[in-house]
Amino acid sequence: MNLLLAPFRGLVDFFQALARIHRIVPWLVAYVFLLPLPEILSATGNDYYIYLTNRILIFILLSVGLNIVKGFCGQVTVGHIGLYAIGAVTSSLLAINYGWPFWAAMPAAVVVTGLAGIIIGLPSVRLEGAYLALATLGLGESVRIMIAVTPALGSSTGIMLIPPPQVGSFVFDDFQKYYYLVMTAAMIGIYLSFSILRSATGRAFMAIREDVIAASVHGINVPANKLLAFVISALYAGAAGALFAHMPPGFIHHNNFTIIEMVTLLLMVVMGGIGHIWGGVIGAIIVYIIYDNTLEFYHIQPLTFGLIMVLLVVFMPQGIGGVIDRYLVTKRFVKLREEKSDGAA
Amino acid sequence: MALLETRRLSKSFGGLRAIHDLDIDVEAGTIHGLIGPNGSGKSTFFNLVSGVYPPDPGSSITFAGTDVTKSPPHAIAKLGMARTFQLLRLFSEMTVLQNVMVGYHTHVPYSLLGTLVNSPRTRRIDARITEEMSELLEIIGLAEYADMPAAELSGGQRRLLALGRAMATRPKLLMLDEPAAGLSPVNVDNLLSIVMALKDRYGLTLLIVEHILKVVMDTCDRVTVLDHGEKIGEGSPTEVKDDPAVVEAYLGQEMDDEEVRQAMQA
């Protein structure tokens, strides 16, 4: 295990050293590191890998958002894909029917999705655990069915020819150009999730996850903070949905928002590590690559993913991120003990 | 006017009357003890006063001059009431420092927006909070464990952390639900001295539920005795100790020789 985590540890040390210069420095360094990724991938001669990377980055946004409400606030929601659908449909309809540019349609979609987040979150005020999961599942799935039966929302043909984003004469019309857009969005999303979760609001979310009653008697407005968590995660889903809709080839279909996608998304968060900020990122990368490479076994995919999730919950409830966290905490604890015994000697 | 006043406070769970028509005044600046046999309604009283349970209609709870009968727990906490739990209810996956910082939640003056842009003001405030909370951890003696998850602490340390977390809310009234349960005599003394230090330093009023009579006798100015959800005695610790009604509730009715003989034959 030590051997396995050693390179990771080195990376953490490196970025912590950078953070000491200024808190934004590690982010800029990581950003610069990631910029040439499509060039490297295009060397394989297959644009598909860049497309795959873009999809992963969109799912990273989704799972980082889901981690806020599920991992940090402890609210079991299975309606997240519904919010993603709302973001995608809102943005594409504004762009196609009203000619809004992407830069106006996307923020509008984010706001609309945020409002929808309140509705998905409302059951959390009364319900917990499996009951909340069922309620949110119903809400999320009804969004998809609504899209599937309403011609104005695409129904069975989907929405086509969604225009790509454009800055001046520069059009984000191929996978490589789009990569810069989604990568920037994902980085901003991760950075903001760090800011939120390290603040008093983040602590309030965690306190609610750990013990609702103790949180409330220490002055935390539990219903308001639960809703806030839902809204924040909905904002992420809205942004991810809009980015997905405008990505070339500019086509969305209600089949993009099924319960299968939801299970995949849940698996990302669970495997990466619930309540671990990097968990959603790690999980999104691993699960999406597996998902994409096993598409030919689509008929047993949901079953397998569900099974993996059950096994993870039983044998590795904290996920990959949890294992890494555990390793770091143990290390710190041992160090503390050593310092103590040194002091005594 | 007392800091905390309850009038005709009642709570029934189905047919069970857990608390019935209870009038209690906790005067500011005092240490008030609440004792009674198991199931006498002490914990229910805490849950009612702190807003965890809604009281039955007709009850009234006034705290610091405000009617809080129907207030939610977080609003009551904001007025300056803090409590601990018998089963602690720590945020075990969070670090020790984070636990006390949650306690400080109501006093954090920045908004979520300030957090998002990570303004210098927000960072300054965060630094100040961290410093204040570290100081508090120093007083309760957990400073060196600040970055450990609360779950890693020993039983005694957890009790101290629960106390520290409640103190971080900067309360006027601190209610302790069996703070010394399960502690060794040495640790009980340690805990008591910390509680006293905190009381003097922050000018607290204390309401303590405790089974360990030594704690009650040594520290309390005034003691209320509950049995079956009703007040059966009140006064200074010595008065209460000699009250026949109290002795009966705790030890059962005294029987004379004749009754004992009949009971044994039966």
Side-chain angles (χ1 to χ4, degrees), chain A residues 271 285-295 301 305 308:
Chain A
M271 183 185 270
I285 296 171
I286 296 177
V287 174
Y288 204 84
I289 290 175
I290 297 174
Y291 174 78
D292 198 73
N293 281 298
T294 54
L295 277 179
Q301 236 178 12
F305 279 17
I308 294 175

Side-chain angles (χ1 to χ4, degrees), chain B residues 7-37:
Chain B
R7 291 292 174 267
R8 297 183 56 81
L9 183 65
S10 305
K11 179 72 184 175
S12 302
F13 297 103
L16 179 77
R17 283 199 319 201
I19 294 276
H20 185 61
D21 275 358
L22 194 58
D23 295 357
I24 287 185
D25 290 323
V26 178
E27 298 291 338
T30 59
I31 303 179
H32 199 115
L34 191 61
I35 61 172

Side-chain angles (χ1 to χ4, degrees), chain A residues 36 96 263 312:
Chain A
I96 291 174
V263 172
L312 276 172

Side-chain angles (χ1 to χ4, degrees), chain B residues 25-62:
Chain B
D25 290 323
V26 178
E27 298 291 338
T30 59
I31 303 179
H32 199 115
L34 191 61
I35 61 172
N38 285 331
S40 60
K42 305 181 297 287
S43 289
T44 305
F45 177 78
F46 266 35
N47 285 333
L48 290 172
V49 169
S50 59
V52 175
Y53 297 156
D56 289 347
S59 312
S60 132
I61 305 166
T62 311

Side-chain angles (χ1 to χ4, degrees), chain A residues 23-92:
Chain A
R23 74 205 141 78
I24 205 85
V25 172
W27 297 91
L28 292 177
V29 170
Y31 190 79
V32 171
F33 265 131
L34 287 173
L35 271 181
L37 189 63
E39 267 88 39
I40 298 168
L41 287 174
S42 62
T44 59
N46 193 346
D47 258 7
Y48 178 72
Y49 290 115
I50 304 175
Y51 169 74
L52 189 64
T53 312
N54 290 350
R55 289 298 303 264
I56 290 175
L57 285 164
I58 288 171
F59 265 90
I60 284 178
L61 261 185
L62 269 178
S63 68
V64 166
L66 182 60
N67 211 0
I68 291 175
V69 67
K70 187 169 157 48
F72 283 85
C73 201
Q75 303 305 301
V76 189
T77 169
V78 200
H80 211 62
I81 283 290
L83 295 169
Y84 176 54
I86 290 174
V89 170
T90 311
S91 186
S92 33

Side-chain angles (χ1 to χ4, degrees), chain B residues 255-266:
Chain B
M255 295 190 280
D256 60 28
D257 290 349
E258 178 62 17
E259 282 172 327
V260 171
R261 200 174 54 77
Q262 283 176 354
M264 285 175 74
Q265 280 174 350

Side-chain angles (χ1 to χ4, degrees), chain A:
Chain A
M1 187 96 262
N2 271 0
L3 210 63
L4 208 69
L5 290 173
F8 178 81
R9 176 78 203 163
L11 206 64
V12 169
D13 284 344
F14 174 62
F15 278 104
Q16 274 173 353
L18 286 175
R20 273 192 286 278
I21 307 169
H22 190 273
R23 74 205 141 78
I24 205 85
V25 172
W27 297 91
L28 292 177
V29 170
Y31 190 79
V32 171
F33 265 131
L34 287 173
L35 271 181
L37 189 63
E39 267 88 39
I40 298 168
L41 287 174
S42 62
T44 59
N46 193 346
D47 258 7
Y48 178 72
Y49 290 115
I50 304 175
Y51 169 74
L52 189 64
T53 312
N54 290 350
R55 289 298 303 264
I56 290 175
L57 285 164
I58 288 171
F59 265 90
I60 284 178
L61 261 185
L62 269 178
S63 68
V64 166
L66 182 60
N67 211 0
I68 291 175
V69 67
K70 187 169 157 48
F72 283 85
C73 201
Q75 303 305 301
V76 189
T77 169
V78 200
H80 211 62
I81 283 290
L83 295 169
Y84 176 54
I86 290 174
V89 170
T90 311
S91 186
S92 33
L93 289 183
L94 285 174
I96 291 174
N97 295 351
Y98 302 96
W100 287 31
F102 171 79
W103 308 107
M106 180 192 169
V110 169
V111 171
V112 169
T113 316
L115 294 175
I118 299 179
I119 297 170
I120 298 261
L122 274 179
S124 75
V125 175
R126 292 270 167 189
L127 303 177
E128 276 182 3
Y131 302 100
L132 178 59
L134 276 177
T136 53
L137 173 68
L139 285 170
E141 186 67 2
S142 60
V143 169
R144 188 188 70 81
I145 293 170
M146 183 96 137
I147 294 169
V149 299
T150 315
L153 301 177
S155 71
S156 55
T157 54
I159 302 176
M160 278 173 277
L161 299 174
I162 304 162
Q166 195 172 352
V167 182
S169 60
F170 186 84
V171 186
F172 294 88
D173 57 357
D174 68 25
F175 295 146
Q176 181 162 350
K177 288 175 191 156
Y178 212 80
Y179 166 82
Y180 301 119
L181 191 64
V182 280
M183 199 267 280
T184 311
M187 287 285 269
I188 294 173
I190 298 169
Y191 177 75
L192 289 182
S193 113
F194 266 93
S195 301
I196 295 166
L197 296 170
R198 281 183 181 162
S199 72
T201 307
R203 291 193 293 270
F205 289 169
M206 285 189 269
I208 289 171
R209 174 192 70 195
E210 295 289 314
D211 194 312
V212 177
I213 290 177
S216 67
V217 305
H218 288 90
I220 291 166
N221 185 341
V222 173
N225 275 287
K226 278 182 181 173
L227 283 182
L228 182 62
F230 270 98
V231 170
I232 292 174
S233 81
L235 297 178
Y236 275 84
L243 283 168
F244 172 60
H246 291 268
M247 180 162 70
F251 171 66
I252 56 170
H253 188 266
H254 67 83
N255 275 351
N256 293 125
F257 313 116
T258 58
I259 191 72
I260 314 273
E261 264 71 25
M262 189 63 225
V263 172
T264 313
L265 181 59
L266 271 181
L267 183 61
M268 289 174 183
V269 176
V270 171
M271 183 185 270
I274 287 177
H276 184 282
I277 299 183
W278 287 110
V281 180
I282 302 168
I285 296 171
I286 296 177
V287 174
Y288 204 84
I289 290 175
I290 297 174
Y291 174 78
D292 198 73
N293 281 298
T294 54
L295 277 179
E296 54 195 296
F297 307 110
Y298 68 91
H299 49 290
I300 55 161
Q301 236 178 12
L303 181 72
T304 322
F305 279 17
L307 191 66
I308 294 175
M309 189 139 60
V310 171
L311 291 175
L312 276 172
V313 167
V314 173
F315 293 107
M316 211 165 100
Q318 300 298 321
I320 297 170
V323 171
I324 295 171
D325 254 6
R326 194 79 223 144
Y327 169 77
L328 294 178
V329 165
T330 313
K331 217 167 158 152
R332 210 157 50 199
F333 194 59
V334 170
K335 207 169 136 206
L336 191 75
R337 276 287 151 86
E338 277 169 359
E339 274 167 15
K340 254 184 116 178
S341 59
D342 282 354

